[in-house]
């Protein structure tokens, strides 16, 4: 068994609006001197520490947990899973 | 965290030996200004603390008032200035958490929160805006999650708070008198720590609060966890219902050190405890760290062996950890062990009773010059001036703030925020009205009269709802007390408050002193904050819709008192002048008359004149009712003054009352009988706010336009810069 | 007639709801802690508002995994009236009992204010006493109250008459101004505004009668005449 | 000029607690069947789209923006910045 750090990034699916990202962009960033930013998207990340036999299984397990426990809402969000050792 | 050299000597002579390192930590925490009140305690005694409704028993961290029929209310006020200045979200949130636990520790359920917020000039200063926005979110996230309504407060901006923040929070609790915790303990009783785990976060917080910001201690950042606090509240109240609590104490500044030593000292017992039994966030914490950690959301319970099992069951139900950390001993020693090894063994009356100081005081040099009036630039367009005031951050509606707070949860809120005081219904059919007020601009110019003014203003706000003031909370916030000039302003404010409280027989039921409020560019202006609680036996005045043809009566004299006014400071950029003074006899007469009128149900709306004076107060009635008003300045009661002074003077003891035509006669009868200075100064009609002087129109503003600016300008400023 | 009020860790409108059920409408209400099941003799279930599990991860998602939800699901199938208010609505959505999802308000802030609802479906056990399109003055208090469904689901909702309440004006960016929905059978209803805060005249500055009809409807659906 | 995607991950500094992560772990994940997870930490991510001449400058610019606009409070949080092309 080894310990893995698995990062789950939850963000809105394309087409779903992200008022928070838009607000940070329009009311904060573009009001300043930084005009070369064209988009900001927000996401939430969960960093799991998991004991598993290998990287692959760790990823699979976390994907299962995310689906089963509705860590993200599939109607509006998608997840990306990255495993680190 | 350390003691002053002479304090160390004092400690050594009291215990007759060298203190251990743990003892030093414990004593330093407990003897800090924040926990010991060493600069202020001798003087605070002057405030009247008793009265027919006050219930005082040992060990309460909040004031208790009997509201009849077997019910009590509890109240307390706190600030979290230093933490909020560096981490406004967490600082403000944990401030709410702390004051809530004070309410809980008397055995009452918290039913309302108030917040008083002060920052630098948000129009110019981005840092101030950031602090403000995050402090509001912190309070919202914490109070909303607990399901305790935040029903009132105040917001003020002044350059004296640049790069700093004053975040004051007050809370009110309610319960049955028979359910109050009667703090007591017997030898062999168990000492239980319940709630959040103890961690390295917030180590040295109370010391931090007693230092000025430069020496900031970064470990003093606390992460709020309102979810645990909510569980702690429910678990404590359930345990109280099962009579499982002999004594109860919240953990605040000074952490376990203060909670254990103060509990032991007030109950006249000793406590032996083992730091290994404390549930911690991380392993390997040193006993010193465990004793002074200010981790949030923790309560200390004294129970006994028979009750323990049930207590543990309740904690388990709510998934909160509770650890038996020690037991009650005879004697008065606070004995801290780690396993078998002793780390501290010291008498609690030494720990809990710091050497009180008699600090020197001296009238500040600036005070004489500042009260001189200055010749101001004449203003040609007073409509524009009023419009600017209405949209200014200090006067604009605070709806952007209070609409982020759940102010309805608990279904008690009869008069909602946005008017003067808010009103809650109580289970015995009575109503509780409350408001907090401060006014550093006036307090700076005249510390005594300014403080009295805050007190009277809070009373006025409560009186406007039909409530008789029954109790007061004071929060005295000043700079470094070691500076005699600052200490003088502290004493003057305190004396003023004492005089007012005695004259009006309003007992002080609690308070807090916060010193060392220094910003990078010097001390803050004196900022006493006064909370007043009022009781309504029968019916509160719930503002009714103002209609065409209703009359506006002004009660109280307008005087040449514009020192510290928004008109002088915001419009003319002039700090100084004649500070408004409360005439006690007149104040009393006016309060009584307003209460009479409300009791007789003769008023539709009652609003006090405060910031921005008559002009703003009358406009507020127009804007909230979306109706115009024709006012005659020559009728305004009081001294002969220029139009601008009549409009914007901030003299105290003044009320605006809206009256249905048919009641005018009866109203006048009452006012004449009470020998009150008053006049009918206006009539509601149309859609313009119009102040006339004889035939001249001095101010002419569209209600719609004014209302839009008043409602949205603060939110616009915060969100879109 | 027994109404169950389900309490989750962090629920905070449970006591308000209980007061309204028992003191105002004289119903026999009982609290049920989320870890236990519900007895068979319950005639209606209410999931009150609050911050179950501190709204962590997403409002309602952790509570949706509570043991009690399995029983709520069974009762829903049996046609027993179930109402979720605010966080209760979020829990019903997260447990799949109601369609859609509740997102952060477009203002990004918690919003506590009075607003008007329009009754769009008066065939549910909580709306039967309303006239169609009747107006209800009522307070909202939420941070994640923006109802969202995609276009196809919205069509479905409309087709099945599942939209129960709409806001009169745009309040928080909800799809089609939706404030409350029901399941296909109509017995499970979720709404973001708080009817329990609006049924007593003392605390309702506008008009307490419309909100009362929500509870009157429940009484009548359970065959109680008031 | 090229377009870069810059991910800013904001999380509590080590030693500062993360109540949300704890609740997700204790009240959701560990209540299920997944006992091999020992820790969950939450983080917030902002994904910026920026026009810059090179990767290095893009990273520097974003760091500046985050500091200047107080996107995070350095007292509590730390940020990690990753640049993608
Ligand atoms: N920080 C705040 N939190 C909650 N309510 C607030 C806050 N600031 C102002 N309010 C509310 O806005 C209204 C006006 O406040 P304020 O201008 O301080 O009133 P007054 O001048 O009567 O003392 C009051 O109802 C008050 O409770
Ligand atoms: Mg007022």
């Amino acid at each position: 068994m080894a310990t893995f750090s698995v990062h789950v990034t939850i963000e809105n699916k394309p087409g779903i609006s992200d008022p928070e990202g838009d607000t940070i962009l329009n009311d904060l960033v573009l009001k300043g001197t930084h005009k070369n930013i064209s988009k900001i998207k927000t996401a939430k990340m969960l960093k799991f520490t998991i004991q598993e036999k290998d990287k692959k299984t760790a990823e699979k397990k976390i994907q299962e947990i995310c689906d089963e426990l509705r860590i993200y809402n599939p109607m509006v969000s998608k997840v990306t899973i990255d495993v680190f050792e | 965290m350390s003691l002053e050299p002479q304090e160390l000597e004092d400690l050594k002579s009291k215990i007759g030996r060298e203190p251990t390192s743990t003892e030093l930590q414990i004593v330093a925490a407990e003897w800090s200004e924040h926990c010991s009140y060493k600069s202020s305690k001798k003087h605070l005694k002057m405030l009247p603390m008793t009265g027919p409704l006050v219930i005082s028993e040992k060990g309460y961290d909040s004031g208790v008032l009997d509201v009849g029929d077997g019910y009590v209310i509890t109240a307390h006020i706190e600030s979290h200035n230093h933490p909020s200045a560096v981490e406004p979200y967490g600082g403000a949130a944990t401030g709410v958490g702390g004051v809530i636990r004070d309410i809980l520790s008397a055995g009452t359920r918290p039913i309302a929160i108030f917040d008083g917020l002060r920052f630098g000039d948000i129009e110019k200063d981005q840092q101030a805006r950031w602090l403000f926005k995050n402090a509001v979110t912190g309070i919202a996230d914490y109070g909303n999650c607990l399901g305790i309504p935040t029903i009132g407060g105040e917001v003020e901006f002044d350059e004296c708070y640049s790069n700093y923040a004053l975040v004051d929070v007050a809370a009110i609790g309610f319960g049955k008198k028979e359910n109050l915790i009667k703090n007591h303990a017997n030898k062999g009783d168990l000492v239980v720590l319940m709630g959040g785990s103890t961690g390295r976060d917030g180590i040295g917080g109370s010391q931090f609060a007693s230092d000025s910001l430069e020496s900031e201690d970064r470990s003093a950042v606390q992460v709020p966890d309102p979810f645990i606090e909510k569980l702690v509240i429910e678990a404590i109240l359930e345990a109280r219902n099962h009579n499982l609590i002999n004594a109860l104490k919240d953990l605040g500044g000074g952490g376990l050190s203060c909670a254990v030593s103060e509990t032991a000292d007030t109950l006249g017992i000793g406590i032996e405890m083992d730091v290994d039994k404390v549930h911690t966030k991380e392993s390997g914490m040193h006993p010193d760290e465990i004793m002074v950690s200010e981790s949030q959301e923790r309560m200390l319970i004294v129970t006994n062996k028979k009750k323990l099992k049930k207590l543990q069951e309740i904690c388990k139900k709510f998934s909160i950890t509770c650890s038996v950390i020690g037991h009650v001993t005879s004697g008065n020693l606070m004995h801290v062990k780690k396993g078998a090894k002793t780390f501290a063994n010291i008498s609690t009356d030494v720990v809990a009773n710091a050497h009180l100081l008699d600090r020197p005081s001296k009238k500040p040099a600036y005070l004489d010059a500042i009260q001189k009036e200055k010749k101001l630039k004449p203003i040609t367009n007073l409509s524009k001036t009023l419009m600017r005031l209405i949209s200014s951050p200090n006067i604009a509606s605070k709806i952007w703030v209070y609409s982020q707070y759940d102010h309805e949860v608990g279904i008690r809120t009869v008069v909602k925020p946005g008017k003067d005081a808010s009103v809650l219904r109580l289970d015995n059919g009575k109503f509780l009205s409350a408001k907090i007020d401060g006014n550093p601009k006036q307090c700076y110019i005249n510390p005594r009269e300014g403080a009295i003014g805050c007190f009277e203003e809070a009373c006025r706000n409560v009186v406007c709802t039909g409530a008789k003031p029954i109790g007061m909370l004071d929060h005295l916030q000043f700079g470094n007390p070691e500076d005699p000039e600052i200490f003088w302003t502290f004493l003057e404010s305190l004396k003023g408050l004492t005089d007012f409280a005695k004259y009006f027989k309003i007992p002080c039921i609690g308070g807090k002193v916060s010193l060392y409020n220094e910003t990078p560019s010097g001390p803050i202006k004196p900022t006493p904050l006064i909370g007043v609680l009022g009781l309504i036996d029968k019916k509160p005045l719930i503002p009714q819709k103002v209609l065409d043809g209703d009359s506006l009566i002004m009660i109280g004299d307008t005087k040449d008192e514009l020192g510290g006014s928004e008109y002088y400071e915001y419009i003319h950029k002039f700090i100084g002048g004649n500070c408004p003074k409360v005439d006690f006899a007149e104040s009393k007469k006016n309060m009584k008359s307003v209460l009479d009128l409300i009791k007789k149900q003769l008023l539709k709306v009652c609003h006090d004149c405060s910031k921005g004076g008559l002009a703003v107060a009358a406009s507020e009635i127009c804007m909230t009712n979306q109706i115009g008003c024709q006012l005659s300045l020559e009728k305004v009661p009081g001294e002969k003054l220029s139009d601008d002074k009549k409009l914007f003077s901030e003299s105290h003891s003044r009320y605006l009352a809206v009256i249905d035509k048919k009641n005018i006669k009866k109203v006048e009868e009452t006012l004449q009988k009470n020998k009150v200075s008053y006049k009918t100064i206006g009539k509601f009609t149309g859609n313009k706010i119009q102040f006339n002087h004889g035939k001249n129109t001095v101010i002419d503003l569209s209600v719609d336009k004014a209302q839009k600016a008043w409602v949205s300008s603060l939110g616009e400023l915060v969100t879109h810069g | 007639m027994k109404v169950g009020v389900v309490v989750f860790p962090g629920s905070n409108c449970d006591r308000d709801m209980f007061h309204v059920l028992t003191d105002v409408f004289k119903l026999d209400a009982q609290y049920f802690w989320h870890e236990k099941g519900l007895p068979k003799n319950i005639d209606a279930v209410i999931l009150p508002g609050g911050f179950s599990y501190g709204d962590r991860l997403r409002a309602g998602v952790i509570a949706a995994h509570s043991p009690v939800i399995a029983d709520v699901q069974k009762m829903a199938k049996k046609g027993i009236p179930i109402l979720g208010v605010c966080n209760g609505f979020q829990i019903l959505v997260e447990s799949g009992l109601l369609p859609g999802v509740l997102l952060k308000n477009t203002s990004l802030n918690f919003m506590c204010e009075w607003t008007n609802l329009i009754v769009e479906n008066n065939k549910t056990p909580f709306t039967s006493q309303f006239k169609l399109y009747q107006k209800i003055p009522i307070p909202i208090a939420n941070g994640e109250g923006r109802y969202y469904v995609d276009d196809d689901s919205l069509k479905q909702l409309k087709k099945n008459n599942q939209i129960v309440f709409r806001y009169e004006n745009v309040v928080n960016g909800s799809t089609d101004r939706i404030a409350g929905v029901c399941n296909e059978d109509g017995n499970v209803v979720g709404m973001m505004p708080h009817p329990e805060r609006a049924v007593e005249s003392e605390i309702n500055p506008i008009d307490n009668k419309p909100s009362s009809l929500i509870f009157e409807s429940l009484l009548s659906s359970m065959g109680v005449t008031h």
Side-chain angles (χ1 to χ4, degrees), chain B residues 121 123 385 388-389 391-394 441 565-574:
Chain B
D121 177 356
E123 285 183 309
T385 305
R388 273 186 65 203
L389 279 176
S391 339
S392 72
N394 281 343
K441 294 189 194 328
S565 67
E566 290 299 316
Y567 178 65
Y568 272 11
E569 302 222 349
Y570 189 75
I571 303 291
H572 289 285
K573 311 284 171 229
F574 168 49

Side-chain angles (χ1 to χ4, degrees), chain B residues 128-141:
Chain B
R129 221 175 290 152
W130 176 81
L131 286 165
F132 174 42
K133 190 175 169 165
N134 283 284
V136 168
T137 313
I139 290 165
D141 282 0

Side-chain angles (χ1 to χ4, degrees), chain B residues 63-353:
Chain B
V64 187
L65 284 170
D66 191 329
V67 291
D69 311 294
Y71 290 99
V72 294
I73 57 154
T74 52
H76 193 58
I77 192 163
E78 278 274 0
S79 63
H80 229 196
N81 302 338
H82 283 77
S84 301
V86 291
E87 211 312 74
Y89 177 86
T94 51
V96 172
V99 76
I100 289 300
R101 290 192 297 281
D102 286 318
I103 296 300
L104 189 61
S105 68
T108 49
R109 179 181 281 280
I111 59 165
I113 300 168
F114 289 80
D115 63 325
L117 306 175
R118 288 186 163 76
F119 309 93
D121 177 356
I122 54 163
E123 285 183 309
K124 293 199 213 116
D125 176 352
Q126 208 183 334
Q127 162 86 352
R129 221 175 290 152
W130 176 81
L131 286 165
F132 174 42
K133 190 175 169 165
N134 283 284
V136 168
T137 313
I139 290 165
D141 282 0
Y142 209 92
N144 294 347
C145 184
L146 295 182
I148 301 167
T150 303
I151 58 166
E154 42 150 21
V155 178
E156 185 171 17
F157 307 97
D158 188 296
E159 265 174 33
C160 80
Y161 308 113
S162 296
N163 291 303
Y164 196 61
L166 290 198
V167 173
D168 298 323
V169 279
I172 295 176
F174 182 67
K176 294 216 175 98
K177 194 172 172 180
E178 66 192 34
N179 281 338
L180 283 171
I181 306 283
K182 313 242 170 347
N183 287 308
H184 66 281
N186 296 311
K187 186 176 167 205
D189 279 359
L190 301 175
V191 178
V192 173
L193 182 65
M194 70 104 85
S197 310
T198 300
R200 289 202 171 91
D201 48 341
I203 283 187
S206 60
Q207 178 80 18
F208 175 52
S210 309
D211 291 337
S212 44
L213 255 195
E214 292 139 60
S215 52
E216 81 191 25
D217 178 351
R218 289 171 186 274
S219 65
V221 170
Q222 293 155 347
V223 177
D225 190 344
F227 177 52
I228 292 209
E229 179 110 338
K230 169 70 178 163
L231 299 174
V232 166
I233 293 173
E234 298 307 328
I236 291 278
L237 292 177
E238 198 163 318
R240 174 205 71 182
N241 290 344
H242 287 91
N243 200 13
L244 305 177
I245 301 173
N246 292 353
L248 186 58
K249 175 97 187 155
D250 64 289
L251 277 86
L256 268 173
S257 297
C258 286
V260 170
S261 64
E262 284 174 20
T263 301
D265 185 52
T266 33
L267 299 181
I269 54 172
I271 288 178
E272 180 181 320
M273 60 164 286
D274 182 349
V275 291
D276 277 345
K277 299 279 161 56
V278 173
H279 53 286
T280 52
K281 281 191 188 140
E282 47 201 303
S283 51
M285 281 179 73
H286 190 272
D288 297 7
E289 293 178 309
I290 293 175
M291 290 311 292
V292 299
S293 158
E294 292 183 5
S295 288
Q296 297 290 304
E297 292 97 16
R298 298 178 298 164
M299 296 291 285
L300 191 75
I301 302 174
V302 178
T303 185
N304 65 27
K305 290 201 180 85
K306 276 221 294 289
K307 298 174 177 176
L308 180 66
K309 191 153 164 267
K310 182 72 193 166
L311 182 64
Q312 284 168 328
E313 267 169 34
I314 291 171
C315 288
K316 182 150 181 269
K317 168 181 167 187
F318 290 102
S319 319
I320 40 184
T321 317
C322 80
S323 315
V324 179
I325 61 166
H327 61 269
V328 173
T329 58
S330 52
N332 70 345
L333 290 178
M334 171 174 180
H335 188 176
V336 179
K337 303 193 304 184
K338 179 176 164 48
K341 193 162 170 235
T342 290
F343 277 78
N345 196 0
I346 181 168
S347 157
T348 57
D349 63 276
V350 170
V351 182
N353 296 294

Side-chain angles (χ1 to χ4, degrees), chain B residues 225 403 408 410 416 425, chain C residues 16 56 112 114 197 200 203:
Chain B
D225 190 344
S403 66
E408 305 270 354
K416 332 260 180 204
R425 56 177 180 174
Chain C
D16 300 354
R56 277 156 195 176
C112 177
W114 284 73
R197 300 182 183 184
E200 293 169 280
I203 51 171

Side-chain angles (χ1 to χ4, degrees), chain B residues 109 144-147 225 227 230-231 317-318 403-411 413-414 416 425 431, chain C residues 9-13 15-16 19 33 35 51 53-54 56 109-112 114 141 196-197 200 202-203 205:
Chain B
R109 179 181 281 280
N144 294 347
C145 184
L146 295 182
D225 190 344
F227 177 52
K230 169 70 178 163
L231 299 174
K317 168 181 167 187
F318 290 102
S403 66
Q404 295 186 52
Y405 302 154
D406 190 344
H407 46 79
E408 305 270 354
V409 62
I411 50 173
T413 320
V414 174
K416 332 260 180 204
R425 56 177 180 174
F431 298 84
Chain C
S11 294
N12 64 32
C13 304
R15 298 165 59 255
D16 300 354
H19 160 76
W33 186 239
E35 277 179 322
F51 281 71
Y53 296 98
R56 277 156 195 176
N109 287 337
F110 189 94
M111 297 167 76
C112 177
W114 284 73
E196 80 280 10
R197 300 182 183 184
E200 293 169 280
E202 212 164 39
I203 51 171

Side-chain angles (χ1 to χ4, degrees), chain C residues 34-35 53-58 61-62 65 104:
Chain C
H34 72 116
E35 277 179 322
Y53 296 98
D55 267 8
R56 277 156 195 176
L57 190 56
R58 255 189 341 271
V61 64
I62 300 183
H65 291 86
K104 244 192 203 159

